[in-house]
Amino acid sequence: NRTATERLAGIINSRMIMRENSSLTKIEALLMGGAGLLDIYNSDDYINLLRQEFNHMATKYNITPMSHEEWQFSGMYHNNHPTLRIAQIAACLHENKISIPSITSCITRSDVYNLFSGNASEYWMQQVLATNTFGSITPRIGSFKSDILGINLIVPMIYAYGTYIESQTLVSRAMTLLHNIPAEDNRYTRLWSSHIPTPKSAVESQAFIQLSTVYCEMRRCDDCPLAKLLTYK
């Protein structure tokens, strides 16, 4: 659901979130309504309240919502269900866990994990379970997803903000955090398993991913700065 999530981020911006984040109901209305997901659930008192709130904010902020058909539901790992993920993010935003100060203060893996410690409300947990056959789902973002967010969201934001305000402290902090997060294990990093020792941190796994996508996939072996150092069997 990467494309759909990026669409939602373009529809519901940070200005709207900051104005409405004193109320979890309003944050859920913004995100669920903007995503078009309120249309897939049967009417009850809370859904009707969210629809009412979203209709008001859609006029207030000139929001054109997505269609729920833009989201992929089938074949998803149960804890990646779009409604559950949005409910988790809504909880984090409402509790003011995610902000520039809280992001730029992250130094360790635990800091990132705490940043995403908001729990989806019991209401949305029950809604997701009622429409699917999952054995169980978790109310908060887990450590694996937290690591991915740390590598691909938090570290780049700290580095970019540090560069923007010319703070070497923040630039160094971004690299410290990347060293603190465990290495990724995916199809890109596994390409190197028979040639190079297992990466020890996200700094090394990110380097392998860069080499894999820029050189290996493009068959640019002659240009690869590492290829000349390797002896192939």
Side-chain angles (χ1 to χ4, degrees):
N1 283 302
R2 177 176 178 176
T3 299
T5 302
E6 290 176 348
R7 274 263 292 144
L8 178 59
I11 293 170
I12 307 300
N13 60 43
S14 60
R15 177 175 61 89
M16 302 174 195
I17 294 293
M18 292 183 68
R19 286 187 175 184
E20 309 294 346
N21 70 356
S22 61
S23 166
L24 178 59
T25 298
K26 289 185 177 181
I27 291 296
E28 289 186 347
L30 263 178
L31 295 177
M32 297 291 183
L37 297 181
L38 295 178
D39 296 336
I40 69 175
Y41 294 101
N42 295 328
S43 294
D44 60 22
D45 289 344
Y46 191 59
I47 289 294
N48 289 337
L49 174 60
L50 293 183
R51 288 171 179 162
Q52 180 180 342
E53 289 284 358
F54 178 71
N55 288 339
H56 169 71
M57 289 185 284
T59 300
K60 179 179 178 180
Y61 297 117
N62 193 28
I63 300 170
T64 301
M66 299 168 61
S67 166
H68 65 86
E69 294 178 349
E70 295 182 54
W71 297 92
Q72 177 67 39
F73 293 91
S74 62
M76 298 295 299
Y77 177 61
H78 57 275
N79 277 315
N80 281 335
H81 190 283
T83 300
L84 178 62
R85 286 299 187 206
I86 291 174
Q88 291 168 340
I89 292 299
C92 292
L93 291 170
H94 169 58
E95 295 171 9
N96 289 310
K97 292 179 180 295
I98 302 176
S99 63
I100 291 297
S102 64
I103 288 172
T104 55
S105 66
C106 289
I107 299 175
T108 68
R109 181 190 187 196
S110 295
D111 293 335
V112 177
Y113 188 68
N114 290 332
L115 196 66
F116 295 104
S117 60
N119 289 311
S121 67
E122 183 63 26
Y123 177 85
W124 289 112
M125 294 283 288
Q126 293 303 318
Q127 285 284 8
V128 172
L129 287 170
T131 55
N132 295 274
T133 57
F134 305 142
S136 64
I137 54 176
T138 55
R140 63 153 295 167
I141 291 172
S143 58
F144 175 78
K145 183 63 70 173
S146 174
D147 287 342
I148 297 300
L149 289 168
I151 293 168
N152 295 293
L153 175 64
I154 303 305
V155 166
M157 286 190 68
I158 296 174
Y159 187 90
Y161 188 66
T163 301
Y164 178 73
I165 65 172
E166 298 182 349
S167 169
Q168 187 56 46
T169 298
L170 289 182
V171 171
S172 298
R173 183 173 297 170
M175 296 307 299
T176 297
L177 177 56
L178 203 58
H179 276 285
N180 192 262
I181 298 174
E184 299 142 283
D185 178 21
N186 54 41
R187 65 187 181 92
Y188 296 111
T189 59
R190 292 181 202 125
L191 288 173
W192 301 90
S193 61
S194 61
H195 306 299
I196 295 178
T198 302
K200 297 180 177 61
S201 71
V203 169
E204 294 181 2
S205 62
Q206 281 287 292
F208 290 173
I209 291 171
Q210 175 76 1
L211 289 169
S212 297
T213 55
V214 174
Y215 295 100
C216 300
E217 286 191 350
M218 305 301 293
R219 299 191 180 279
R220 297 175 56 204
C221 300
D222 291 341
D223 299 324
C224 178
L226 191 58
K228 298 174 183 178
L229 303 178
L230 300 176
T231 302
Y232 293 91
K233 296 180 180 180

